[in-house]
Amino acid sequence: ADDGERLVAREDDGATDDRRVGAEPRAPRAVADHGDVPFVGRHEPPELRAREGLFLAFQYPVEIPGVNNVYLLKAALNAQRKHRGLPELDAFEFLNLVRAKLASMRMDETLLNRGVNEGFSGGEKQRNEVRQLAILEPELAILDETDSGLDIDALKVVASGVHQVRQERPELGVLAITHYQRRLDHLQ
């Protein structure tokens, strides 16, 4: 994806093979049976891709008991900053940054001190993914069926959060993978 480009991969409803993705319901199928995809022209392990600016929002984010969101986000952000030759943020600077980001997106802070996705509803997990997206400021965000299992209200909140991030950072590339046209309607 070029800077600011939004790509969409929409699977037919009911599709079961995640390797088969078409851009439109009647599009020819692409099958990925082997190989890998370079990011910024290189083949690197996932942790380096994350530091380079690749963000993946999962369909079903995992719980990480005992690790709170603030700790995870601060560690991830500082790993990115260090990789890019920038100074790491101390706790005070980091919390100010997080609070400013969340305020601009009109998102509350209550989930930040809980374990990562621990006991979260599906909607809370997806809102948490959007928080991570906003704070980590990646170059490319892959949103892998982040609408799965969400009711219409939660879908609107998540889509609004992604839209807000894109408003603040129009250079952000987004690849949205979804089964549902309504998700695309809310991402416009």
Side-chain angles (χ1 to χ4, degrees):
D2 292 326
D3 282 357
E5 187 174 6
R6 180 179 62 226
L7 302 176
V8 176
R10 189 177 127 199
E11 297 179 290
D12 294 332
D13 287 344
T16 57
D17 189 348
D18 289 339
R19 296 175 305 147
R20 300 175 187 275
V21 179
E24 291 296 326
R26 293 187 186 93
R29 295 288 193 188
V31 178
D33 289 328
H34 64 279
D36 63 339
V37 177
F39 180 64
V40 290
R42 296 189 305 272
H43 300 273
E44 302 288 355
E47 63 275 8
L48 185 56
R49 290 177 186 218
R51 288 191 297 262
E52 289 282 344
L54 181 64
F55 179 84
L56 174 61
F58 294 99
Q59 178 179 5
Y60 299 111
V62 296
E63 293 186 10
I64 308 175
V67 177
N68 76 31
N69 283 291
V70 169
Y71 179 81
L72 175 75
L73 286 170
K74 183 174 180 280
L77 182 64
N78 277 333
Q80 280 183 343
R81 291 178 64 84
K82 183 176 179 182
H83 179 77
R84 294 173 182 162
L86 300 171
E88 294 184 12
L89 299 180
D90 64 28
F92 183 74
E93 293 168 321
F94 175 75
L95 285 175
N96 283 338
L97 171 76
V98 168
R99 287 184 176 127
K101 290 273 186 195
L102 296 181
S104 77
M105 296 176 63
R106 294 187 294 279
M107 298 180 106
D108 69 51
E109 300 177 27
T110 58
L111 300 179
L112 287 174
N113 293 314
R114 290 174 56 188
V116 176
N117 298 319
E118 194 171 7
F120 287 16
S121 69
E124 287 173 325
K125 287 180 179 181
Q126 295 307 331
R127 284 191 293 276
N128 202 35
E129 296 278 278
V130 173
R131 283 182 189 90
Q132 294 171 17
L133 172 65
I135 292 164
L136 296 176
E137 297 187 345
E139 301 297 319
L140 173 64
I142 300 173
L143 309 177
D144 184 12
E145 295 188 38
T146 55
D147 52 1
S148 190
L150 298 184
D151 64 31
I152 194 67
D153 293 332
L155 177 65
K156 287 178 182 177
V157 169
V158 170
S160 174
V162 173
H163 181 73
Q164 178 70 31
V165 170
R166 290 200 76 234
Q167 293 285 74
E168 292 178 7
R169 297 192 52 242
E171 73 279 5
L172 172 65
V174 175
L175 170 61
I177 302 168
T178 183
H179 288 279
Y180 306 109
Q181 181 61 44
R182 70 175 191 242
R183 168 65 190 272
L184 303 179
D185 294 341
H186 290 292
L187 281 177
Q188 299 296 332

